[in-house]
């Protein structure tokens, strides 16, 4: 959740408030919205509302413009950011699936060991305390 000068991330701003906070005109906000650089939600009465996240995005746009990037270049940067974010999310999901599989395998091993007290004692002797702590930590994270 973003906090910015008393605003909390789930609050919305009217176009004038957004423009004032970013030190741009309402016309600029409208233009960026029409280009797809900013996203607005419409109310039932057709007013545009922006999240505080869009304020941060607007500030990035203005920063890129000060670096003499074109709006097309900025749009491409945002597109690449979105693709990178999706790739990271996908990698995270893949990692979660792998860890779920490892958790299932580990549970099977633990259940087999618990069935045979002799194997349990042998395993405890062979596994170092650090390894056991790591396994227990992984189990806590997976559960």
């Amino acid at each position: 959740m973003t906090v910015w000068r008393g605003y909390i991330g789930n609050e919305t701003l009217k176009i004038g408030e957004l423009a004032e906070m970013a030190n741009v005109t309402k016309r600029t906000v409208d233009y960026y919205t029409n280009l797809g650089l900013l996203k607005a939600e419409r109310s039932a009465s057709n007013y545009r509302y922006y999240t505080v996240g869009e304020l941060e995005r607007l500030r990035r746009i203005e920063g890129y413009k000060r670096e003499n990037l074109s709006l097309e270049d900025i749009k491409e940067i945002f597109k690449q950011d979105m693709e990178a974010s999706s790739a990271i999310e996908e990698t995270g999901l893949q990692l979660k699936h792998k860890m779920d599989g490892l958790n299932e395998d580990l549970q099977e091993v633990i259940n087999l060991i618990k069935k045979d007290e002799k194997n349990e004692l042998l395993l405890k002797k062979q596994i170092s305390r650090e390894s056991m702590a790591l396994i227990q930590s992984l189990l806590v994270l997976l559960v």
Side-chain angles (χ1 to χ4, degrees):
M1 187 178 302
T2 304
V3 176
W4 190 85
R5 288 191 193 174
Y7 287 91
I8 300 174
N10 57 356
E11 291 187 38
T12 56
L13 306 167
K14 292 179 183 176
I15 188 170
E17 295 170 323
L18 179 68
E20 183 180 337
M21 292 173 113
N23 201 26
V24 298
T25 65
K26 289 194 287 186
R27 184 178 168 118
T28 299
V29 173
D30 187 45
Y31 183 62
Y32 292 164
T33 303
N34 289 334
L35 287 177
L37 289 169
L38 295 174
K39 293 179 182 87
E41 296 176 18
R42 294 275 183 179
S43 69
S45 55
N46 210 26
Y47 284 105
R48 281 177 291 180
Y49 288 97
Y50 297 86
T51 65
V52 176
E54 292 304 298
L55 173 61
E56 299 301 323
R57 191 173 174 101
L58 179 53
R59 290 181 167 200
R60 283 182 63 199
I61 293 167
E62 291 301 303
Y64 288 139
K65 282 183 58 187
R66 281 191 294 279
E67 295 173 14
N68 295 320
L69 276 97
S70 70
L71 292 177
E72 278 304 312
D73 291 339
I74 296 169
K75 203 172 192 177
E76 185 61 31
I77 289 170
F78 287 161
K79 180 181 172 191
Q80 290 172 0
D81 287 352
M82 199 164 166
E83 289 170 357
S85 186
S86 294
I88 290 169
E89 191 174 307
E90 179 63 30
T91 302
L93 285 173
Q94 289 173 356
L95 182 59
K96 184 188 179 317
H97 290 306
K98 285 181 182 180
M99 291 191 69
D100 287 346
L102 287 173
N103 185 36
E104 289 174 16
D105 292 346
L106 190 55
Q107 286 299 330
E108 282 182 40
V109 169
I110 289 170
N111 290 337
L112 287 172
I113 291 170
K114 285 183 177 179
K115 287 181 181 178
D116 187 346
E117 197 173 301
K118 182 180 160 188
N119 282 341
E120 185 176 1
L121 292 173
L122 183 61
L123 184 66
K124 283 183 179 178
K125 286 180 185 176
Q126 290 178 347
I127 296 179
S128 70
R129 286 194 168 156
E130 293 84 12
S131 296
M132 194 56 136
L134 178 61
I135 290 170
Q136 288 172 338
S137 297
L138 283 172
L139 282 173
V140 168
L141 290 173
L142 292 171
V143 176

